[in-house]
């Protein structure tokens, strides 16, 4: 078990290193000068040079890269060119909002997908099944930057139940969470269904039925427990899509999270903040995936980690 | 019934995209008297905040999404399959390096990287295609690699090797036909994903630039007038959803026809 943990941990470190390096070089390779953006068009050449030097942007690229990596290890991600604040603090204050939104969206997805998938699998081939899977297909196909405005149109502007945007009241999170959770709910219900159908064909399910157990008990206690495992694996991967979708959803609802900060910073060419946001989001993703892996082992004692 | 409708939607999408330039469209013609006008017999889908006809802009947007998605999926598929199958065939250090690179890409929400890249490169269709391709090839490379690994020991491949067939010919003639079914299915779903990604980036202002029309930017511009002119948000959104829905239905259908094993089962088995 420790050997497996070490290898998973090393892999996570490598991924973080790779992502930061990729983003660092992409940012410095693409055209666009942050100093010019900061000073405006009327700046003199001397001022530009001075600021460039003060920010360390005139150093060799590899040196800047090494500096960034060593800084990142001690949570020092430089300071924002726009806010003049440390990047880590800036991103960290926004991270809570993003995680809150993602967690609630995840909850929404789970609450919708579990019953839907169970129903579809239990009544395979029936109208229930095709209706549930129709909803699922619809959910996969509806982009969140359209679903969001639609929900606002109906529930905020029409019925006045929820705020249009922002994060002022507790109700503010409802529409963004539904918007973000719908896609995951759709994918998840399909996974639950197909995984359950597979398990329902196994011998021990037939045995359970032959013993005369109630259909509900066979489904929930025998089949569902085993159907969870593949769902769990894919769930970890889907969380990446969730965090990516959070960026768009935050922009739709003006939700003060890391995603909105990322898009704003891209427009301002605030390189250190862009790097910080990307690093934070990938860090969350890597940590969540690591936890999913551990959970997987917990859920299935048959798995021997050394061989995974 | 539903499937026929889906095919019809896709046919219409393709026809509009390929033949749009011969239609008498005026997506940029402003008509101030018609600002925010609701749909009527003269303007089937009404007019937007500058009095431009929504229908014309919708059809132009269809062309944009079609061109971008076909281009991105073809490029990603080509690069991904090339790199993935070569790595699996030759193995060794290059393959291990590729696996490491793929780990990084897969461990990261692709749309996020595309957003960052498209934003930094600057808006525009070319940069959009570049960003989405850079993110997109990885999935196909991963799939192609796994597939080639699973069929490279088959007897007919060994026979070809024993006969001295050059590697490129083995890959092209003896491996690719075997592994193409899952790739075709994956690419079909890829089209749906790219259509959403293109509109999403344009929605964020990172894709197609004004005054050019894209479904994503039409939705973004329409949101401001949601109360007085809901058709500005509804029309492009419905078009977008119909196309994505139809592509996904086609993908499901292809998966059944070609009998591709579900990813879920394979994932479960890998463990």
């Amino acid at each position: 078990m420790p050997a497996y943990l070490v290898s998973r941990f090393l892999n996570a470190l490598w991924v973080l290193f790779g992502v930061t390096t990729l983003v660092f070089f992409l940012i410095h390779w693409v055209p666009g000068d942050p100093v010019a953006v900061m000073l405006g068009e009327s700046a003199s050449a001397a001022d530009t040079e001075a600021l460039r030097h003060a920010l360390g942007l005139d150093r060799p690229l590899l040196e800047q890269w090494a500096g960034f990596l060593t800084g990142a290890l001690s949570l020092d991600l430089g300071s924002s060119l726009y806010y003049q604040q440390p990047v880590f603090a800036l991103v960290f204050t926004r991270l809570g909002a993003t995680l809150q939104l993602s967690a609630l969206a995840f909850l929404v997805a789970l609450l919708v997908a579990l019953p839907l998938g169970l129903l579809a699998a239990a009544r395979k081939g029936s109208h229930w099944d095709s209706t549930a899977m129709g909803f699922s297909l619809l959910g996969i196909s509806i982009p969140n930057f359209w679903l969001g405005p639609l929900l606002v149109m109906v529930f905020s502007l029409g019925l006045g139940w929820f705020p249009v945007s922002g994060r002022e009241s507790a109700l503010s999170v409802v529409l963004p969470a539904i918007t973000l959770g719908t896609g995951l709910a759709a994918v998840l219900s399909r996974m639950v269904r197909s995984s359950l159908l597979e398990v329902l064909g196994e011998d021990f399910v037939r045995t359970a039925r032959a013993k005369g157990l109630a259909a509900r008990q066979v489904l929930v206690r025998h089949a569902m427990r085993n159907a969870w495992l593949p769902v769990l694996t894919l769930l970890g991967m889907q969380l990446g899509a969730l965090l990516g979708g959070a960026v768009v959803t935050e922009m739709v609802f003006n939700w003060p999270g890391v995603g909105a900060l990322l898009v704003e910073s891209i427009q301002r060419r605030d390189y250190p903040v862009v790097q910080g946001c990307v690093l934070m989001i990938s860090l969350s993703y890597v940590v969540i995936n690591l936890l999913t892996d551990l959970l997987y082992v917990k859920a299935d004692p048959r798995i021997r980690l050394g061989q995974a | 019934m539903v499937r026929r409708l889906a095919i019809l939607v896709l046919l219409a999408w393709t026809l509009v995209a390929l033949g749009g330039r011969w239609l008498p469209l005026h997506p940029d013609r402003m008509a101030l008297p018609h600002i925010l006008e609701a749909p009527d017999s003269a303007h089937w889908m009404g007019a937007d905040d500058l009095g431009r006809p929504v229908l014309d802009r919708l059809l132009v947007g269809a062309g944009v999404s079609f061109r971008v998605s076909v281009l991105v999926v073809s490029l990603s598929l080509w690069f991904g399959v090339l790199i993935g199958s070569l790595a699996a065939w030759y193995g060794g250090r290059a393959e291990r390096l590729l696996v490491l690179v793929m780990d990084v890409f897969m461990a990261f929400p692709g749309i996020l990287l595309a957003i960052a890249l498209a934003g930094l490169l600057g808006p525009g269709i070319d940069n959009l295609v570049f960003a989405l391709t850079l993110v997109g090839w990885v999935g196909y490379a991963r799939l192609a690699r796994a597939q080639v690994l699973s069929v490279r020991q088959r007897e007919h491949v060994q026979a070809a090797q024993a006969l001295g067939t050059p590697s490129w010919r083995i890959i092209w003639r003896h491996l690719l036909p075997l592994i193409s079914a899952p790739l075709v299915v994956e690419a079909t779903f890829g089209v749906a994903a790219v259509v959403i990604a293109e509109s999403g980036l344009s929605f964020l202002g990172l894709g197609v630039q004004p005054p050019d029309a894209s479904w994503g930017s039409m939705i973004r511009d329409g949101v401001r007038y949601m109360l007085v002119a809901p058709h500005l948000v509804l029309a492009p959104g419905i078009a977008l959803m119909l196309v994505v829905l139809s592509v996904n239905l086609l993908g499901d259908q292809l998966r059944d026809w070609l009998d591709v094993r579900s990813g879920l089962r394979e994932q479960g088995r890998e463990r």
Side-chain angles (χ1 to χ4, degrees):
Chain A
M1 172 126 179
Y4 171 73
L5 278 187
V6 169
S7 93
R8 280 300 286 129
F9 190 69
L10 285 182
N11 184 263
L13 279 186
W14 155 254
V15 164
L16 285 179
F17 169 80
V19 168
T20 17
T21 304
L22 187 71
V23 173
F24 179 89
F25 283 104
L26 282 179
I27 282 181
H28 285 81
W29 164 67
V30 299
D33 185 358
V35 176
V37 175
M38 285 169 79
L39 291 178
E41 280 174 10
S42 57
S44 72
D47 285 347
T48 312
E49 270 320 301
L51 184 62
R52 194 183 296 277
H53 182 72
L55 294 170
L57 291 173
D58 56 349
R59 289 182 299 158
L61 199 55
L62 282 178
E63 204 180 306
Q64 289 187 48
W65 176 55
F68 176 71
L69 284 181
T70 46
L73 286 177
S74 54
L75 297 183
D76 173 16
L77 300 175
S79 44
S80 159
L81 303 179
Y82 179 83
Y83 291 103
Q84 310 288 339
Q85 280 175 20
V87 169
F88 181 77
L90 198 65
V91 177
F92 194 74
T93 51
R94 299 284 201 106
L95 193 62
T98 297
L99 291 183
Q100 184 199 7
L101 173 61
S102 309
L104 279 172
F106 182 68
L107 198 68
V108 169
L110 218 54
L111 287 179
V112 174
L114 270 187
L116 217 57
L118 256 169
L119 186 73
R123 302 257 180 281
K124 192 196 172 204
S126 70
H127 287 303
W128 292 104
D129 186 15
S130 39
T131 311
M133 287 307 102
F135 268 118
S136 161
L137 196 63
L138 205 64
I140 291 173
S141 307
I142 195 166
N144 49 14
F145 55 87
W146 190 53
L147 179 62
L150 276 192
L151 291 175
V152 167
M153 211 188 291
V154 176
F155 295 103
S156 304
L157 301 175
L159 298 169
W161 290 355
F162 302 104
V164 173
S165 68
R167 197 195 179 202
E168 269 74 50
S169 76
L171 286 177
S172 299
V173 76
V174 176
L175 293 186
I178 295 177
T179 304
L180 183 56
T182 299
L184 182 61
V187 179
L188 199 58
S189 59
R190 287 190 148 202
M191 288 196 241
V192 170
R193 176 180 178 272
S194 58
S195 184
L196 251 179
L197 282 181
E198 183 139 327
V199 173
L200 284 175
E202 305 249 354
D203 290 343
F204 69 86
V205 171
R206 196 181 41 201
T207 309
R209 281 195 184 131
K211 281 200 306 187
L213 291 184
R216 168 189 295 251
Q217 207 170 8
V218 173
L219 201 63
V220 175
R221 287 190 66 177
H222 294 250
M224 197 57 216
R225 276 199 184 177
N226 287 284
W228 257 118
L229 300 169
V231 174
L232 207 57
T233 319
L234 277 197
L235 205 55
M237 296 179 192
Q238 285 298 323
L239 289 176
L242 192 71
L243 287 172
V247 177
V248 178
T249 310
E250 284 173 11
M251 290 305 284
V252 171
F253 287 95
N254 208 3
W255 184 258
V258 181
L261 182 67
L262 174 69
V263 177
E264 289 158 21
S265 302
I266 287 173
Q267 281 153 2
R268 293 187 197 117
R269 305 220 156 264
D270 197 342
Y271 294 164
V273 181
V274 173
Q275 277 167 351
C277 291
V278 168
L279 187 62
M280 272 307 192
I281 298 180
S282 15
L283 184 69
S284 327
Y285 181 58
V286 165
V287 169
I288 293 172
N289 257 317
L290 212 54
L291 290 179
T292 321
D293 269 18
L294 295 181
L295 205 63
Y296 195 78
V297 179
K298 261 276 193 249
D300 188 358
R302 287 170 306 184
I303 292 182
R304 275 182 299 178
L305 283 175
Q307 299 169 345
Chain B
M1 178 65 189
V2 176
R3 276 168 210 143
R4 285 207 189 127
L5 281 178
I7 299 286
L8 270 183
V9 169
L10 292 181
L11 270 180
W13 187 44
T14 314
L15 278 179
V16 167
L18 297 179
R21 71 181 69 176
W22 291 294
L23 290 176
L25 299 179
H26 305 285
D28 300 327
R29 183 193 280 168
M30 296 191 262
L32 299 185
H34 298 303
I35 281 179
L36 299 180
E37 215 169 58
D40 59 29
S41 56
H43 302 91
W44 287 2
M45 289 190 189
D48 69 1
D49 53 321
L50 295 172
R52 297 172 298 191
V54 172
L55 178 63
D56 294 24
R57 297 184 68 71
L58 199 73
L59 295 180
V60 172
V64 170
S65 68
F66 185 85
R67 279 193 298 276
V68 169
S69 57
V70 168
L71 204 56
V72 168
V73 171
S74 323
L75 287 174
S76 313
L77 191 64
W78 172 247
F79 281 118
V81 170
L82 188 72
I83 294 175
S85 51
L86 283 181
W89 181 251
Y90 285 110
R93 214 175 279 168
E95 188 193 12
R96 284 201 296 276
L97 186 70
L98 176 74
V99 172
L100 282 176
V101 171
M102 286 196 301
D103 272 354
V104 170
F105 274 94
M106 300 303 286
F108 192 78
I111 185 69
L112 203 60
L113 193 59
I115 288 174
L117 199 58
L120 293 168
L121 285 170
I125 292 194
D126 293 345
N127 290 339
L128 190 77
V129 169
F130 179 78
L132 291 176
T133 306
L134 193 82
V135 174
W137 68 275
V138 189
Y140 301 104
R142 192 182 156 102
L143 188 61
R145 173 178 168 270
Q147 292 288 321
V148 167
L149 282 181
S150 74
V151 296
R152 63 171 294 184
Q153 296 299 341
R154 295 237 180 128
E155 274 126 11
H156 76 281
V157 180
Q158 287 179 338
Q161 264 179 306
L163 288 170
T165 315
S167 290
W168 65 266
R169 202 177 154 81
I170 295 184
I171 293 178
W172 183 250
R173 291 291 297 274
H174 301 278
L175 293 178
L176 272 187
L178 277 180
I179 69 170
S180 59
L183 286 168
V184 166
V185 173
E186 182 83 1
T188 309
F189 289 121
V191 169
V194 174
V195 169
I196 289 192
E198 181 269 314
S199 320
L201 288 172
S202 298
F203 175 84
L204 292 175
L206 302 174
V208 177
Q209 290 300 293
D212 291 342
S214 151
W215 290 344
S217 57
M218 287 171 78
I219 293 178
R220 181 194 55 189
D221 295 340
V223 164
R224 267 173 280 165
Y225 306 100
M226 222 150 45
L227 270 183
V228 281
H231 62 278
L232 295 187
V233 174
L234 290 178
I238 291 173
L240 181 58
M241 211 179 69
L242 277 181
V243 165
V244 174
L245 202 61
S246 307
V247 176
N248 279 334
L249 272 169
L250 182 71
D252 277 353
Q253 199 66 34
L254 280 176
R255 183 159 55 190
D256 293 347
W257 276 342
L258 299 172
D259 193 26
V260 176
R261 275 193 304 167
S262 80
L264 196 72
R265 213 182 313 169
E266 270 170 40
Q267 291 293 346
R269 239 174 236 168
E270 250 176 40
R271 281 281 159 163

